[in-house]
Amino acid sequence: MLSPLINIAPFHEAIAENQLILTANQRLAMQIKQAWGKLSQDQNTPVWRSPRVMSIEHWLMFLWDELKDQNHPIVSQLSIVGTMQSQYYWEKVIAQSDESLDKSFASMAANCLDLLQRWSIDFNEITDSGSSLDKFKHWASQYQRLLNKNKLVTLPQAYQLIGDCFAAGALDKELQINLYGFQSISPLQQNLLETTAEKYHSIKPNKQQVNARTIECADPSSEIAVASKWAALELLQNPNQRIGILIPDLNNCLTQTVRILNATLAQQNCSTAVNISAGVKLSETALIKAAFNCLDLFNFDLPLSQWLCLLHSPFNLFEKLPIQFKVDCELRLRALKSHSLGLDQFIQVIRGQQSKLENSDEVQSIIEPLYSFQQFNRENKANQYSFSHWADIFDSTVKQLGWPGLSQPSSIQYQQIQQWDKLLARLSELDNLGIEVGRSKALYYLNKLASEQLFHPQTGDAPLQVLGLLEGAGLVFDKLWVTGMHSGNLPTSGSIDPVLSANFQRQHEMPFSVTEKELTIAKSLLSSFKENTKQLFLSYPLSDGKTPLEPSTLIKDLEPQDIKALVGDMQPATW
């Protein structure tokens, strides 16, 4: 049986005294609860109290909901602005200022305001000047006016109000708050901890650090290949080990990682279960992409490739058509020699091929919803409705066109179908803007919602965990391999805010602005890895395929590990 991903021993006292434990992310909170549950079962405890463990963001939202339930006067008339609602307001104030500006400025301004508020800085008090900053301050003022008018607050503002409620005695202070898994904390969170608790304490593993070894690889693909083979060999030897592979930019190389990992495990005849934590954009999942392909029929013209994709998709009504019929339709579409087609032209081809059938009625019932949609589209081109009404239209449209086209969806497909319903519910929430919009704007916001939401498939526990760098911090493994330990990743070389001056950000020690602070965070992260495993390998690539790379200065003095001695000869890459 697999051991827990958390060493529960350092948490005993806090849990026994029913103290609050706050974690850096929800994964850590969940694993602490699971580890405590396993310990209670092992001790034959029939019933046990669930530990008070939450991620810090979940805890703050819990407090906000509690204050709303109290109808406390400080928050009773206020609501937290939603992501898309906020996006709409930013786009509105920026367009009023200068219609020529791209909508990407809305996200830039929103990120800047969020950063300032989490650092407890009023944008009106910034004395720096400059074209970008002056524009931002004007936009932020207009944005705040819209929030005030609609009795809305941002998340950081809600957190500040929670602190005000504690100061007013609306909520009882915690005797002690215990923190776990934090590499850094924002000034706003720091102030909240001091306001909401008599004292706070960081829980440490209290384990001796292992001696890590470094491994030099040619490039990131080679790193993943060697780490995958190492994991396979380890699990073939002992399938009940906890093996971790941490990849700093996992979200950006997910497809490549999955391909190499699966190929390597197959080569080693290792059938172990794998849990890969990285999410993909909801808009890029198979079923959600198929739903949007159906909604693209609302557009005037689509590329030929998209019509062919729609014709051969297994997730709509065309799946039920005879294969030869679809082949004939494709040949006819290609014969038009047009790079793009409208819905009417596409349907004309479908009708033409249907008329050539000996019995045209055999496909009529299948295609009829497409013909009905054509008529509906003609009648509703210019109509404006509420967001919730458009959500109903979009849902009925995709289902009319046969989506999702599955009689027995797999677990992951079922989860994607559930996410579609949640996506439409989030679109409907934009009704609180009190406006009606056309079809294109409603589709724009639906697409944006899907593009900004990550889909994390729910999978069972697995011996092999492939995680991002920060996701793996604080988790316990029997053996751990961390990739990408070059000077650009350790310390992290992120980008500072593009609106605020570099000097201003350094003065307030904002993310990525102070080298010494990033170095401290990197050392803390490295220590966490050393404390939470029995064997640790830190690999780095010599090149990213274009640019030469150097190992991080934090690992240069560690003992190197020979790859061949560890995993034997590596087969030539086939990916």
Side-chain angles (χ1 to χ4, degrees):
M1 184 175 181
L2 294 172
S3 59
L5 281 164
I6 287 288
N7 173 22
I8 201 64
F11 299 88
H12 271 221
E13 183 178 348
I15 294 175
E17 296 182 10
N18 200 32
Q19 294 176 357
L20 178 64
I21 300 171
L22 297 181
T23 62
N25 56 62
Q26 191 59 22
R27 178 185 294 273
L28 287 175
M30 179 183 68
Q31 293 299 333
I32 293 170
K33 288 183 178 180
Q34 289 182 3
W36 183 256
K38 184 179 185 304
L39 176 65
S40 301
Q41 287 179 329
D42 291 345
Q43 294 176 342
N44 296 318
T45 306
V47 179
W48 59 89
R49 180 171 54 192
S50 179
R52 296 178 62 214
V53 186
M54 287 181 272
S55 70
I56 191 167
E57 297 290 341
H58 277 71
W59 172 62
L60 291 169
M61 289 310 302
F62 171 80
L63 294 176
W64 177 263
D65 291 340
E66 188 171 336
L67 290 167
K68 294 293 286 186
D69 290 342
Q70 289 182 17
N71 198 32
H72 194 277
I74 292 180
V75 303
S76 61
Q77 300 299 314
L78 300 173
S79 298
I80 297 174
V81 65
T83 304
M84 282 300 101
Q85 191 175 5
S86 176
Q87 178 81 14
Y88 174 82
Y89 286 145
W90 278 114
E91 290 178 358
K92 181 176 181 178
V93 299
I94 291 173
Q96 288 174 344
S97 172
D98 186 347
E99 290 185 354
S100 66
L101 292 177
D102 188 83
K103 289 183 178 180
S104 62
F105 281 91
S107 297
M108 187 185 301
N111 291 337
C112 183
L113 181 62
D114 182 76
L115 176 62
L116 289 169
Q117 291 180 340
R118 289 181 185 272
W119 255 249
S120 301
I121 299 172
D122 186 337
F123 64 84
N124 288 310
E125 297 177 1
I126 300 176
T127 56
D128 290 358
S129 62
S131 176
S132 297
L133 183 58
D134 292 342
K135 286 180 180 178
F136 164 75
K137 290 166 75 172
H138 173 69
W139 297 341
S141 297
Q142 298 303 313
Y143 173 78
Q144 189 60 55
R145 286 195 183 95
L146 283 173
L147 294 188
N148 295 341
K149 178 182 177 181
N150 292 280
K151 297 182 178 180
L152 296 169
V153 292
T154 62
L155 265 178
Q157 286 173 333
Y159 298 162
Q160 183 59 57
L161 291 172
I162 290 170
D164 295 342
C165 288
F166 267 96
L171 296 170
D172 295 329
K173 275 190 172 185
E174 299 282 344
L175 292 178
Q176 177 168 305
I177 291 179
N178 301 276
L179 305 176
Y180 184 70
F182 291 88
Q183 310 305 322
S184 64
I185 196 164
S186 71
L188 176 59
Q189 291 174 333
Q190 181 74 39
N191 293 337
L192 276 168
L193 289 172
E194 294 171 356
T195 303
T196 57
E198 299 294 339
K199 60 180 179 178
Y200 58 92
H201 163 73
S202 293
I203 294 177
K204 302 293 184 182
N206 296 326
K207 287 182 63 180
Q208 185 176 357
Q209 294 187 3
V210 299
N211 294 319
R213 293 188 174 190
T214 61
I215 295 178
E216 180 184 284
C217 298
D219 52 45
S221 296
S222 300
E223 275 190 286
I224 297 170
V226 177
S228 299
K229 185 175 181 181
W230 164 80
L233 294 175
E234 287 289 345
L235 289 167
L236 286 171
Q237 184 178 358
N238 180 2
N240 290 321
Q241 294 184 88
R242 282 287 190 187
I243 303 294
I245 299 176
L246 306 188
I247 303 174
D249 57 344
L250 181 57
N251 279 329
N252 296 326
C253 62
L254 180 60
T255 302
Q256 178 191 43
T257 298
V258 171
R259 185 172 66 250
I260 295 174
L261 181 63
N262 287 341
T264 305
L265 292 176
Q267 287 171 359
Q268 301 303 317
N269 294 317
C270 180
S271 58
T272 187
V274 182
N275 177 34
I276 301 179
S277 75
V280 296
K281 290 182 179 180
L282 187 59
S283 59
E284 294 178 359
T285 59
L287 281 178
I288 302 303
K289 184 182 289 188
F292 277 106
N293 283 342
C294 290
L295 295 179
D296 281 341
L297 294 182
F298 280 119
N299 297 329
F300 294 108
D301 287 294
L302 292 174
L304 174 62
S305 59
Q306 196 161 340
W307 287 115
L308 297 180
C309 180
L310 194 72
L311 183 64
H312 295 292
S313 171
F315 306 124
N316 59 39
L317 57 81
F318 293 106
E319 170 65 13
K320 298 178 181 178
L321 291 172
I323 294 177
Q324 187 57 52
F325 180 82
K326 289 191 285 187
V327 170
D328 293 339
C329 289
E330 177 179 347
L331 292 173
R332 181 60 190 140
L333 287 168
R334 291 185 181 279
L336 295 176
K337 296 182 179 180
S338 177
H339 293 295
S340 62
L341 300 168
L343 176 62
D344 291 343
Q345 291 173 287
F346 178 75
I347 288 181
Q348 186 177 1
V349 169
I350 299 294
R351 286 187 182 277
Q353 294 306 124
Q354 182 183 2
S355 66
K356 295 179 181 180
L357 296 174
E358 291 185 8
N359 181 10
S360 61
D361 292 337
E362 67 176 298
V363 299
Q364 179 62 30
S365 61
I366 300 174
I367 303 177
E368 181 57 40
L370 180 66
Y371 300 155
S372 300
F373 170 78
Q374 181 186 29
Q375 185 61 32
F376 173 84
N377 195 29
R378 288 171 177 169
E379 296 171 354
N380 289 270
K381 278 185 178 180
N383 290 356
Q384 293 202 333
Y385 300 115
S386 66
F387 285 97
S388 59
H389 189 75
W390 278 118
D392 291 338
I393 289 176
F394 295 154
D395 193 38
S396 61
T397 296
V398 297
K399 288 172 180 174
Q400 177 186 359
L401 296 175
W403 185 89
L406 301 166
S407 57
Q408 293 183 318
S410 67
S411 172
I412 291 180
Q413 289 171 337
Y414 179 72
Q415 292 174 45
Q416 291 176 18
I417 294 170
Q418 288 182 311
Q419 288 299 318
W420 172 253
D421 294 334
K422 292 179 181 178
L423 195 64
L424 294 176
R426 290 184 65 196
L427 181 68
S428 298
E429 290 174 1
L430 289 175
D431 278 356
N432 54 23
L433 291 172
I435 61 173
E436 291 188 340
V437 296
R439 185 179 62 213
S440 59
K441 178 156 279 191
L443 270 174
Y444 164 75
Y445 281 108
L446 187 65
N447 268 290
K448 193 163 185 63
L449 280 168
S451 297
E452 294 184 353
Q453 181 176 337
L454 290 180
F455 174 68
H456 292 272
Q458 296 177 5
T459 57
D461 199 5
L464 178 54
Q465 303 279 327
V466 182
L467 309 169
L469 201 62
L470 294 179
E471 288 177 303
L475 296 179
V476 174
F477 299 95
D478 292 305
K479 297 177 181 179
L480 179 63
W481 186 305
V482 186
T483 70
M485 292 291 92
H486 57 78
S487 56
N489 279 338
L490 194 75
T492 304
S493 57
S495 301
I496 63 173
D497 186 87
V499 177
L500 305 170
S501 71
N503 285 335
F504 178 87
Q505 293 182 66
R506 280 193 291 269
Q507 177 187 347
H508 294 279
E509 297 188 357
M510 290 180 165
F512 310 119
S513 63
V514 180
T515 304
E516 294 79 7
K517 185 177 180 180
E518 297 307 315
L519 185 60
T520 300
I521 293 173
K523 288 179 178 179
S524 173
L525 197 60
L526 197 54
S527 294
S528 172
F529 297 147
K530 292 179 179 180
E531 292 167 345
N532 286 298
T533 188
K534 300 169 187 174
Q535 186 180 59
L536 176 62
F537 294 109
L538 305 170
S539 65
Y540 59 91
L542 293 174
S543 168
D544 62 4
K546 297 179 181 178
T547 307
L549 298 172
E550 291 286 334
S552 168
T553 55
L554 296 179
I555 70 169
K556 275 189 173 181
D557 294 333
L558 298 178
E559 182 181 352
Q561 169 68 54
D562 179 66
I563 292 179
K564 187 172 182 179
L566 186 65
V567 299
D569 292 323
M570 292 295 298
Q571 296 183 13
T574 57
W575 40 81

